Amino acid sequence: MLGRTHYAAEINETLEGQTVTVAGWVHRRRDHGGLIFIDLRDRSGLVQIVADPTQEENFRELDRVRLEYVLAVQGTVKRRPEGMENKELASGAVEISPERVEILAEAKTPPFMPADADAVDEILRLKYRYIDLRRISLLNNFILRDKVLMAVRQFFHSHGFLDVETPSLARSTPEGARDFLVPSRLQPGAFYALPQSPQIFKQLLMVAGFDRYYQIAKVFRDEDLRADRQPEFTQIDVEMSFMSQEEILNMMEAMLRYVFQESLGVNLEPFPRMTWQEAMEGYGSDKPDLRAGEKLWNLTEMTAQQIAWPVLRESSFVGGVVFRDYQPSRKHLDNWVDFAKSLGAGGLIWIVKSPGQIRSSAGKWLSAEELQMLADTVQLRDGDVLLIVAGDKMPSLNVLGQLRLEFARQENRIEEGWRFLWVTDFPLFEWSQEENRLVSAHHPFTMPHPDDIALIETDPLAVRSQAYDVVLNGTELASGSLRIFQPQLQARIFSALGLKPEEIDEKFGFLIQAFQYGAPPHGGIAFGLDRMVMLMAGAKSLREVIAFPKTARGIDPLMNAPSPVDPRQLDEVGIQIKK
């Protein structure tokens, strides 16, 4: 076999007149006036091979090749004729005149061509994923992913972190999603669980004195899927001892700066910070997209004091979102009303300001003076629209936040660039209507805010946590917190969550016991690697940055997984399928 000397993208003017050997797949084949043009594709890109009939042996070989054949070609680098250059290719100024051709592997006609994959049904692409992955655009995503991982490892290594692997077979613990269970043959009736995160293990490493830990960890959650969620995914998992929240945030921000610089050549601006309360009230979301226009308006106090209409005056919350420089038709306004109702709003009030005129869907109940006061409060200008939602605070904020984002998307108002944000001081607890009890907003090992510890038993929903998220362009990239390291405080949290002493001992006894042998103050964070690479690559789905992903139903069409197993395997682990 011919030994490759260069990748396709390395073939350029500096090699003119030299003999090179390239190898790859036939991406295109064209026959023009007796000349055969082959675009040969490898991991780096494309290079053009041109053979004419005078090169009898090589011409004959190239004449019989078809798309996706695998070739090795040795030849001389020549400049393309003037006007025939392809500026979109690194090799676009030159071509190779073949002197020797080897067909290394023939190929059947594939179910689709890599160049046409975007127009092919996704199930078919996943069934033949090895062909789908031949797309240069997808390949570039994995080259970027490799750069990101290399930069992550370089940063942590240079800052004294240890890369430590934790078990993939552990015990089932309540962490918010369903576990994937693995039956034990050696312990009949007992099950391992695949880790939803290495949370407990990394805390135990801090108790052990490892001080700074990181891991590129594969984790598993049995939950409903969507574009940015898969049943198995990769985390950049981090934990640190003897560091304050401020120090952790600064360290992780430095890591992201380094990764973006090394991977994309991008210099990031300092990350702004806001509390969870500020994010919800300002943007109606705990992961606000700062690119999508101005903040929401809280009109509750103004309407209570200056508006006579009971729907607004007596509502517990009144909020608004302004669409600047927007003159919609009545149909468009009705569409916004329908959209708000689809999100759970009881209704939507609109106010449109035009030169010399203010119109409103609530014109029957609001006077001209009241409309003017509302317009003045939000600094409404000619050509602006104010949308108002009234009702319970959090549901209303959610509707307003969704209206803000949808308007920015529909009107192409989302700014370019990378807008990072730290969100801090999340609630420690949430109330689960389904379970009729308190649940952890983050996880049960999250440190409460020191000012709110006294409220754990008396007003738990008012307790803030020392938890923090980093958000990029409206997507949560990472979530973390300071951890509880005192056994007494951890026991109080478990008690508030309704866990009985025997449950605590059964599920977390080993962690509580470890804390009794001297645990340092510690905290950490976990980044969604797949999600981060997806955003960096401008991809639409996690499936574009995971080599062998699952469908939205959790199916792998390539391996036809999950699948039934031999009944003898079930017998060995003592399992019977329930009809």
Side-chain angles (χ1 to χ4, degrees):
M1 186 185 80
L2 290 171
R4 180 172 60 187
T5 62
H6 295 78
Y7 282 99
E10 296 172 339
I11 308 301
N12 55 41
E13 304 95 314
T14 65
L15 298 174
E16 185 178 1
Q18 297 185 29
T19 298
V20 299
T21 302
V22 293
W25 287 258
V26 176
H27 189 68
R28 293 189 187 88
R29 181 189 181 280
R30 305 179 300 284
D31 193 335
H32 294 308
L35 294 176
I36 294 177
F37 293 80
I38 300 288
D39 287 345
L40 197 68
R41 183 189 71 244
D42 64 17
R43 197 180 79 180
S44 68
L46 302 174
V47 65
Q48 181 169 275
I49 315 295
V50 182
D52 62 63
T54 63
Q55 305 166 310
E56 292 186 12
E57 183 177 343
N58 295 323
F59 186 87
R60 191 164 53 249
E61 283 291 275
L62 290 176
D63 188 44
R64 75 183 187 88
V65 305
R66 296 294 180 262
L67 296 183
E68 301 306 310
Y69 272 39
V70 183
L71 308 181
V73 178
Q74 186 179 78
T76 303
V77 178
K78 297 182 178 181
R79 281 189 178 269
R80 294 194 188 190
E82 188 173 350
M84 301 295 289
E85 300 91 345
N86 185 344
K87 295 182 179 179
E88 295 184 2
L89 296 180
S91 63
V94 296
E95 59 194 22
I96 295 175
S97 178
E99 297 161 4
R100 185 178 170 190
V101 175
E102 285 188 18
I103 298 177
L104 302 176
E106 297 183 356
K108 293 169 56 178
T109 301
F112 59 89
M113 295 299 172
D116 303 325
D118 284 335
V120 175
D121 178 73
E122 185 178 46
I123 300 297
L124 183 64
R125 287 194 285 111
L126 292 180
K127 180 177 177 63
Y128 297 93
R129 183 63 164 175
Y130 44 86
I131 295 174
D132 191 33
L133 287 170
R134 293 178 184 178
R135 282 191 283 163
I136 293 175
S137 60
L138 271 191
L139 182 58
N140 287 338
N141 290 348
F142 289 93
I143 293 172
L144 173 62
R145 184 181 177 116
D146 179 70
K147 289 181 179 179
V148 169
L149 280 170
M150 181 65 72
V152 167
R153 294 188 183 281
Q154 288 171 340
F155 178 88
F156 284 128
H157 179 73
S158 68
H159 285 80
F161 285 77
L162 298 178
D163 182 353
V164 184
E165 291 185 3
T166 55
S168 293
L169 295 175
R171 70 167 292 139
S172 179
T173 57
E175 292 197 45
R178 297 183 188 90
D179 288 322
F180 282 102
L181 299 177
V182 181
S184 170
R185 179 182 61 82
L186 299 177
Q187 304 293 329
F191 292 81
Y192 298 106
L194 299 180
Q196 294 185 36
S197 80
Q199 182 63 47
I200 292 176
F201 289 112
K202 66 181 180 179
Q203 289 194 252
L204 291 174
L205 288 172
M206 296 303 101
V207 177
F210 278 45
D211 193 72
R212 292 186 178 187
Y213 142 97
Y214 86 99
Q215 181 183 186
I216 309 301
K218 183 72 75 174
V219 293
F220 308 84
R221 295 179 186 175
D222 186 6
E223 54 190 357
D224 295 334
L225 307 184
R226 59 190 185 209
D228 62 349
R229 181 180 287 170
Q230 282 278 298
E232 54 180 314
F233 56 98
T234 307
Q235 284 184 180
I236 305 170
D237 203 48
V238 190
E239 199 77 8
M240 293 153 275
S241 294
F242 306 111
M243 292 182 71
S244 66
Q245 176 173 304
E246 182 68 18
E247 290 171 319
I248 292 174
L249 266 56
N250 288 337
M251 177 75 78
M252 295 302 97
E253 187 169 325
M255 185 272 286
L256 288 169
R257 288 173 178 280
Y258 182 80
V259 168
F260 270 70
Q261 176 59 48
E262 292 296 307
S263 304
L264 297 178
V266 170
N267 291 314
L268 299 177
E269 297 291 327
F271 300 1
R273 299 184 188 182
M274 66 178 67
T275 65
W276 175 85
Q277 193 72 31
E278 291 169 336
M280 294 303 301
E281 292 185 355
Y283 300 93
S285 171
D286 59 5
K287 46 183 182 294
D289 191 339
L290 302 182
R291 306 169 303 160
E294 65 185 58
K295 296 195 295 185
L296 308 178
W297 293 84
N298 188 334
L299 304 171
T300 310
E301 184 175 343
M302 179 267 174
T303 55
Q305 295 177 357
Q306 302 183 52
I307 302 298
W309 188 30
V311 169
L312 296 183
R313 187 185 71 239
E314 298 175 4
S315 181
S316 60
F317 174 80
V318 180
V321 59
V322 175
F323 296 170
R324 301 290 181 189
D325 302 316
Y326 180 59
Q327 287 292 294
S329 66
R330 180 57 187 264
K331 180 181 179 181
H332 285 134
L333 292 170
D334 290 342
N335 287 341
W336 288 117
V337 174
D338 292 340
F339 181 70
K341 288 181 177 180
S342 73
L343 297 172
L348 181 72
I349 299 168
W350 52 260
I351 298 175
V352 179
K353 191 171 190 301
S354 305
Q357 181 186 22
I358 297 180
R359 298 180 292 122
S360 175
S361 57
K364 294 181 181 180
W365 303 281
L366 296 172
S367 67
E369 292 77 11
E370 289 173 324
L371 289 174
Q372 187 64 56
M373 284 190 290
L374 284 165
D376 290 344
T377 299
V378 300
Q379 302 163 26
L380 215 61
R381 304 183 297 261
D382 289 342
D384 292 347
V385 176
L386 168 63
L387 302 182
I388 296 174
V389 175
D392 292 336
K393 185 175 184 178
M394 286 305 169
S396 297
L397 285 170
N398 175 63
V399 172
L400 290 167
Q402 296 279 11
L403 287 166
R404 171 182 175 271
L405 285 175
E406 188 61 24
F407 173 72
R409 292 188 190 109
Q410 288 190 18
E411 297 297 312
N412 295 316
R413 302 285 184 93
I414 296 179
E415 301 169 4
E416 296 291 328
W418 307 102
R419 297 296 298 276
F420 280 89
L421 168 71
W422 283 109
V423 179
T424 64
D425 294 356
F426 282 77
L428 187 67
F429 300 111
E430 295 173 347
W431 184 259
S432 170
Q433 296 288 350
E434 182 180 342
E435 300 181 47
N436 194 34
R437 68 176 184 89
L438 287 175
V439 295
S440 295
H442 193 61
H443 58 61
F445 318 111
T446 305
M447 179 71 79
H449 194 287
D451 295 342
D452 297 346
I453 289 176
L455 302 175
I456 292 173
E457 287 80 14
T458 58
D459 192 5
L461 291 176
V463 178
R464 295 167 293 168
S465 68
Q466 295 188 71
Y468 36 81
D469 284 4
V470 61
V471 177
L472 171 58
N473 294 352
T475 298
E476 178 196 317
L477 270 196
S479 187
S481 70
L482 296 188
R483 321 301 190 191
I484 299 168
F485 62 96
Q486 307 99 329
Q488 299 84 357
L489 180 57
Q490 185 68 74
R492 289 175 65 185
I493 298 299
F494 285 148
S495 178
L497 291 170
L499 294 174
K500 298 177 181 178
E502 55 271 22
E503 290 181 282
I504 297 170
D505 185 62
E506 178 191 353
K507 295 176 179 178
F508 305 107
F510 51 91
L511 184 62
I512 298 295
Q513 184 181 60
F515 287 166
Q516 295 170 352
Y517 290 96
H522 58 283
I525 194 167
F527 294 83
L529 172 68
D530 313 298
R531 192 174 293 179
M532 182 162 73
V533 176
M534 179 184 75
L535 293 175
M536 295 173 77
K540 297 178 181 179
S541 165
L542 286 183
R543 293 188 284 275
E544 296 182 42
V545 296
I546 295 175
F548 298 101
K550 308 292 189 294
T551 68
R553 296 180 59 228
I555 294 171
D556 177 1
L558 173 63
M559 301 291 291
N560 195 26
S563 64
V565 297
D566 191 307
R568 289 174 296 182
Q569 291 177 270
L570 296 178
D571 288 340
E572 288 181 341
V573 292
I575 288 179
Q576 185 178 23
I577 301 298
K578 186 177 180 179
K579 299 290 186 182

